[in-house]
Each structure stands twice: as C-alpha cells, then as structure tokens.
Amino acid sequence: MAGKRMRREPYERELYRLQAELVKLQEWVRAEGARLVVVFEGRDAAGKGSAIKRITEHLNPRVARIVALPKPTERERSQWYFQRYVEHLPAAGEIVLLDRSWYNRAGVERVMGYCTPEEHRRFLQQCPIFERLLVEDGILLRKYWFSVSDTEQEQRFRRRLEDPMRRWKLSPVDLESLSRWEDYSRAKDEMLVHTDIAESPWFVVDGDDKRRARLNVIAHLLSGIDYHDVRPPALELPGRPVSTGYLRAPRHLQTFVPDHSASVRAGRS
C-alpha cells in the first residue's frame, strides 16, 4: 500500500467506534435470528488473524465464534469435502468467522499437492453451488481475501522468526509459500474466476498496512448489512439484602495463589 503507515491515535479512535458498531450488529443478529458467516482467506501473514481478533474483541463468544479447523482426519478425508464445514455453520442469532475455510482446497491443497487435480476441479465446480444454497437459505455470507506484497510478507515472516511470542505462527508450509509465491498467485486467480459470483462475491483487502486493513474490512462488513440499533432491556441493580449473619471463612483455611505481583518492580503506568 502506498503512503505512510496509519498513525496509532486515529487508528485506535476509529477502531473503537467501529467495534461499538460491531456490538450493535451482534445484538441485531441475536434479536433478528440472523445467521452471518464471514470467510477470511489470503496470503500467509497477510493480517487475517489480527483482523479477526479486533472484530471479536468486544463481542459475546456465545454469539460470535471463530472457527479454525485443523487438518482433516482420515474419516473426514473420506467425506464429501464440504461436510466438515457444514456442522460449524451458524444457527439463528449466531455469527461464525472462518479463519480459513473450504477455500483451503483452492489454495494450499492445490499448490502443495494435498488434493488431486480431480478433487480441485470438483471443488471449483461445486463451491458456487454450495454457496448459492447457503445464501438461498438466508445465511449472510461475506468473503474477504487479504492481499499482501511479497516484500511485506517476507519482512513479517522474519519478525516472527525472531519473536519467541509469535514463532509458533510459522510452519514449514508457511515458509514454503515464499518460494511458491507465483504458484499461489495463479491458484488464487483461478479460484476467483470460478467463485467470485454475484450471490457471494469476493472482496479484496490490501493488507500491507495492518491498521488500515483492519479498519477497512470492519467498515466494509458493517456497510454491507442492513442492521439497526436494538435497544437492550432496561436493567437496574437490585439492592443488597440485609445480612443474615454470614461470615467469610478465615483466610488461613483457604489456599491462595502466591502474590507474584508483590515482587514486580513498580513502573510507570
């Protein structure tokens, strides 16, 4: 993305405003019994995970849940390809965010040879039909592809390699995506040709600046759903009842965790 990186202050201000709108969207989904599925796909290290994290930060995990499936089991590999994803689709009043989805077959499986050419061809044929069925049944389906430049992706990989807190995010398959950059590009282009349909179009998110990408995807998601503010029921804290003589158990009869905080040097808040 051209231009300077977005500064933290305006980013955090707008992010908070958008997250407040996401809470309104959540309450509308719950009140109306809507079903929302948001697909997050794209290059490794393009910012999908951090965008999902910001979207769900203030949402109720009983309403909005993240689905990130592991490698299929032997039994799942013998099923209809879309079968393992169907069981994770939302019921009324739920939001499901797919951190990678059935599009694994069009990306990593295609490039790394984890599926046969026939399985890949069948996926491209069946996927638009599958998604039309979801939409026809009333599911709100949104699909986002996170794009990132090759130089930015490599820089992020290097930072992850050097950061023990994020080293776990890298796998040999992730690293191989560097040498297979053009293979992934061709696979993505072929995927878009077959699955960018009117009923469930793809929306591309420029991910070189993560802050801009997060704001852009949240704003776009909100703008594409005709939700409205649902007034919560009026709540009032009840008064505490008069004590009936209960006494808390003495501290020495309970096992407390050690006070690690007392050993931490005070710093600036």
Side-chain angles (χ1 to χ4, degrees):
M1 179 179 293
K4 295 181 179 180
R5 305 280 176 168
M6 188 172 190
R7 292 187 298 109
R8 179 177 295 277
E9 183 179 350
Y11 160 73
E12 292 185 343
R13 183 172 60 248
E14 179 61 8
L15 177 63
Y16 187 78
R17 186 190 72 81
L18 291 172
Q19 287 175 327
E21 290 299 315
L22 285 169
V23 173
K24 294 179 184 178
L25 172 64
Q26 167 192 267
E27 294 307 295
W28 175 84
V29 166
R30 183 160 55 177
E32 296 294 325
R35 293 171 293 164
L36 174 59
V37 175
V38 188
V39 170
F40 293 84
E41 289 287 346
R43 299 276 190 180
D44 295 317
K48 300 179 298 297
S50 63
I52 293 172
K53 184 176 181 180
R54 272 50 174 205
I55 289 172
T56 58
E57 187 172 4
H58 299 288
L59 300 185
N60 184 342
R62 293 184 178 87
V63 176
R65 53 190 168 88
I66 302 168
V67 174
L69 298 185
K71 289 169 51 178
T73 64
E74 286 297 325
R75 180 175 184 276
E76 288 171 332
R77 277 195 283 268
S78 71
Q79 297 173 342
W80 176 49
Y81 177 71
F82 295 94
Q83 189 169 335
R84 71 193 294 246
Y85 294 99
V86 169
E87 66 176 291
H88 296 282
L89 293 174
E94 294 180 350
I95 301 170
V96 169
L97 299 100
L98 292 170
D99 186 356
R100 296 208 180 276
S101 64
W102 46 84
Y103 283 99
N104 274 339
R105 177 137 293 177
V108 65
E109 290 190 19
R110 170 75 172 87
V111 173
M112 300 299 294
Y114 298 154
C115 68
T116 67
E118 172 59 23
E119 288 171 331
H120 178 248
R121 183 201 62 78
R122 191 182 310 127
F123 169 82
L124 294 179
Q125 181 183 33
Q126 292 184 353
C127 185
I129 300 171
F130 173 67
E131 292 182 356
R132 286 189 181 104
L133 291 174
L134 298 183
V135 174
E136 287 174 7
D137 201 60
I139 288 178
L140 300 172
L141 177 60
R142 301 294 183 268
K143 302 186 307 192
Y144 292 102
W145 176 271
F146 280 69
S147 178
V148 66
S149 66
D150 52 354
T151 54
E152 180 65 25
Q153 183 191 54
E154 183 176 356
Q155 290 173 7
R156 291 177 184 177
F157 279 172
R158 291 189 184 282
R159 288 197 292 270
R160 288 182 180 183
L161 279 172
E162 298 165 358
D163 185 349
M165 302 297 284
R166 295 189 295 169
R167 177 65 179 77
W168 62 269
K169 291 186 175 184
L170 285 178
S171 71
V173 174
D174 295 331
L175 297 178
E176 194 163 348
S177 65
L178 287 175
S179 58
R180 293 177 179 260
W181 179 269
E182 291 191 358
D183 293 336
Y184 274 101
S185 295
R186 293 188 182 96
K188 182 258 295 184
D189 292 343
E190 186 178 9
M191 176 197 78
L192 291 178
V193 167
H194 290 85
T195 63
D196 187 18
I197 59 177
E199 295 86 347
S200 59
W202 277 104
F203 297 100
V204 179
V205 181
D206 192 330
D208 273 9
D209 184 332
K210 285 190 176 184
R211 291 173 183 170
R212 294 182 189 275
R214 294 165 193 159
L215 297 184
N216 291 342
V217 71
I218 297 173
H220 185 272
L221 176 63
L222 292 167
S223 70
I225 300 175
D226 188 21
Y227 70 98
H228 58 265
D229 195 2
V230 177
R231 290 186 174 274
L235 298 175
E236 185 175 340
L237 287 177
R240 287 193 175 276
V242 176
S243 173
T244 58
Y246 168 78
L247 297 175
R248 295 181 66 178
R251 288 180 63 89
H252 72 272
L253 296 180
Q254 303 172 60
T255 303
F256 285 82
V257 299
D259 188 8
H260 171 76
S261 64
S263 65
V264 178
R265 294 186 60 182
R268 292 184 178 181
S269 58

